[in-house]
Amino acid sequence: MWKTILRRVLIMIPQLILLSVLVFMLSKMMPGDPLTGNFSQGQSAAQMAALRQQYGLNDPWYIQYFKWVGNMFHGDLGQSFVYKRSVTGLIGERAVNTFWLALMSTVILYVIAIPAGIIAGRYEGTKRDSAISVGSFILMAVPPFVFYLLGLIFFGFFLQWFPTGGSVSSTYNPGTLGYFWDRIYHMILPALVAGIITTPSTIQYLRTGVIDNTRQDFVRTARSKGVPDRVIFNKHILRNSLLPIAAFMGNQITMLLGGSVILETVFSYPGMGQLFVSSMTSRDYPVVISLVLLFGFLTLLGNLLSDIIMSIVDPRIRIE
C-alpha cells in the first residue's frame, strides 16, 4: 500500500504544475494587474510605470512564473498587494479558521446524517423513512447560498442567537478561555448550516446501503440460523453500509474546505474562501494563485485519503 501511496503522491506533482501554469496564464490574461485600483489613486503615470517595473509586472508571464516558482521553493509565495504582508503568513492564518470551520461542519454532518440514514434504511416504507427522505429531497433542491442566507437572516438577524460576521469578538484577549469559546460561538451558525445542507447525499447513500445489504443472501442465511436481528444489523448490515460513507469522508472534508468560498463570504467569516473572493476583486494575484493551488492540492489529497480510509475499513480492498 505504501508504494501505491507514494506513486499517487508523485502523480500529484505534474498535476499541480499544470494547474499552476494554467492559473498563472489566466491571471495574466485578465484585465488590469495587482496595482490597478490599489495604488493608482494619487499616483502619476510615471510612478505607476516605475512600480510595475519594480514588481516585475512588465516581464513576460513565463518569466514571472519561473520567478514565482523559484521563490516558492524557498517558502516565499510573494507579497500581498492589498494586505501588505507575505502570502504564506496570510494564507496560513486564514487556513486555520477554515480548517476548524470545516471540521465542525463535518462533525455536524455525520451526527445528523448517519442516524437519519440508518433509521430511513432500517424502517423502509414507514413514516419515519418518508419524513427523512422528503426532508433530504427538499434540502437537495435548495441552492447552498440560499440556505446560507436563510440561516443568517433567521438565526443571526431575526432571532439574534449568533453573530453575523467575524471569527471572534474584539473584547477577548488571545489565549484566554473566553477567547476560545467566543471563536467556537462564531463558528456554530456557519458550521451548522454547512453541515445540514450537505447531509442529503450522505443520508441517501447510507439508506440505500442499508436497504441493499438487508436483502443480501448472507443476511437471509444468518436469520435462518437464528441469529438475533440486532446482531445481524450491527455486525453485518450496518458495517457494510458504512463503507461508502467512510470512503466519502476524505472527499467530504476537502469539499467543505473548497466550498468555503460562498459560506465564508455570506457569513463574513475570515477564512480562505473570503480571502479568495476579496483577492479576486482586488486583483491580488499572488494570493489568488496560491489559494487555487492549495484548493487543487486539497482535492487531490481528499481523493487519496478516501482510498486509504476505504482500505483501512475493509482490508479486502487495496488501493491501486
Side-chain angles (χ1 to χ4, degrees), residues 37-45 47-48 51:
N38 296 320
F39 296 87
S40 57
Q41 295 181 357
Q43 300 283 348
S44 65
Q47 289 173 323
M48 291 297 295
L51 285 173

Side-chain angles (χ1 to χ4, degrees), residues 97-226:
N97 292 338
T98 299
F99 171 78
W100 288 114
L101 178 60
L103 182 62
M104 183 180 288
S105 302
T106 304
V107 172
I108 292 173
L109 160 65
Y110 287 113
V111 166
I112 296 173
I114 290 179
I118 292 172
I119 293 172
R122 189 169 188 178
Y123 301 101
E124 178 190 8
T126 64
K127 292 182 179 179
R128 283 176 282 187
D129 176 29
S130 299
I132 292 173
S133 297
V134 169
S136 297
F137 292 141
I138 291 174
L139 286 176
M140 285 182 181
V142 178
F145 73 91
V146 174
F147 193 74
Y148 298 158
L149 286 172
L150 291 176
L152 178 65
I153 293 171
F154 185 73
F155 293 104
F157 291 103
F158 182 70
L159 297 178
Q160 297 184 357
W161 287 358
F162 302 101
T164 57
S167 62
V168 67
S169 301
S170 58
T171 54
Y172 295 99
N173 295 320
T176 62
L177 184 61
Y179 182 88
F180 172 76
W181 285 115
D182 193 62
R183 286 183 67 92
I184 294 179
Y185 180 52
H186 278 73
M187 283 193 294
I188 291 176
L189 182 56
L192 183 64
V193 296
I196 292 174
I197 198 64
T198 51
T199 56
S201 58
T202 304
I203 291 174
Q204 293 304 314
Y205 275 132
L206 187 53
R207 177 184 180 274
T208 303
V210 170
I211 294 173
D212 289 344
N213 283 289
T214 302
R215 298 167 179 170
Q216 295 298 318
D217 291 337
F218 64 85
V219 173
R220 298 191 186 96
T221 302
R223 283 175 177 163
S224 66
K225 293 180 179 180

Side-chain angles (χ1 to χ4, degrees), residues 3 6-7 31 34 95 107 122 179 184 188 261 269 276-277 319:
K3 291 182 179 179
L6 179 60
R7 186 172 68 250
V107 172
R122 189 169 188 178
Y179 182 88
I184 294 179
I188 291 176
V261 174
Y269 185 80
F276 179 78
V277 173
I319 59 176

Side-chain angles (χ1 to χ4, degrees), residues 34 46 134 147 191 270 284 290 300:
V134 169
F147 193 74
D284 199 355
S290 300
L300 295 174

